[in-house]
Amino acid sequence: MRAWIVERPAPIDEQPLRLVDRPEPAPGPGQVRIRVSCCGVCRTDLHLAEGDLRPRRPGVTPGHEVVGRVDRLGADARRFAVGDRIGVPWLGSVDGSCAWCRRGEENLCLRPTFTGWDIDGGYAEHCLVDEAFAYALPDAIDDEQAAPLLCAGIIGYRALRLAETPPGGRLGIYGFGGSAHLTAQIALHQGMRVHVLTRGEHNRALAAELGVDSVGGAADAPPEPLDGAILFAPAGELVPPALRALDRGGTLAVAGIWLSDIPTIAYADELFNERRLRSVTANTRSDGEAFLRLAERFGITAMTHAYPLARAADALADLAHGRFGGAAVLHV
Ligand SMILES: [Zn+2]
Ligand SMILES: [Zn+2]
């Protein structure tokens, strides 16, 4: 089968990915194999290709927003039948036994594996998934629309929860790409006032199109103090202005898996009055199930840009250079 691999992490314009021919994988116990239909392109794939994320396996195939149909069952796999349409997300497995798993925080598991980092992902014609970590997908959402929901959507939803903005509250969104544009739709449906702070014409236009309450530059002050904020841009220098924008008791959640260094924080102006700064680390399966139900109920629509599998490297380069708004999706 055709599959992309991260050959040697390097800046995206130096071609760190290569398209290779690999044997089709065989599902092990409890796993199913899918014939990939679509795979979303996430910023994490770019961090992996460029070496911001340390590769955990040489020659790994990226991609963790994978939609396809089950075409083979491993021993003891009973949850799905051949032909079922499922989604394969970032969280590939957890140990189920560490202190965090036992208290329902499997996103913080000590021994997790991740699709497209530890396990080969969906930039390929087939991939494997532990059936317990796959999602059944709502029929109303087609393959291209479903792909970006599986990481961008779910992580954004967890970040929104952790930003603790009450219904009708004021939410700031810093950076406006694949994840943010889905999260903004959930927030608007939940009656929040949404202020988007971002650079890039495509991003600003997309935010305005979705009907957010205001759109400003990346480090601008929003028009009113915020109850909660989410930092989607991987830019640590935005942490101090985002903290300054918070009202008393407000929370800033950093959604990315990678962030450039945060400059010095001025305690009095940026953290005092019980403002909170927290990271968002992966997600639990219950976040995923809850988000997919909301996405179906609210009719969340991803702004997608289709690329054939053969152009995965171009899709990542276009993401790196901000050449589109929304989310790129590979068609396999
Ligand atoms: Zn665990
Ligand atoms: Zn992702």
Side-chain angles (χ1 to χ4, degrees), residues 207-296:
E209 214 172 288
L210 291 176
V212 301
D213 295 276
S214 78
V215 182
D220 289 356
E224 59 183 339
L226 305 171
D227 298 301
I230 308 171
L231 177 57
F232 285 105
E237 68 272 19
L238 294 178
V239 168
L243 286 171
R244 271 198 303 279
L246 292 177
D247 211 343
R248 293 170 168 244
T251 300
L252 170 62
V254 178
I257 191 171
W258 185 88
L259 189 71
S260 61
D261 287 349
I262 300 172
T264 305
I265 289 172
Y267 184 67
D269 294 336
E270 292 163 358
L271 209 54
F272 195 61
N273 288 319
E274 304 203 343
R275 280 171 281 193
R276 277 168 298 215
L277 169 62
R278 70 193 304 184
S279 64
V280 177
T281 301
N283 63 273
T284 65
R285 282 170 281 180
S286 70
D287 290 323
E289 301 290 352
F291 170 71
L292 289 171
R293 279 195 299 275
L294 288 181
E296 185 183 25

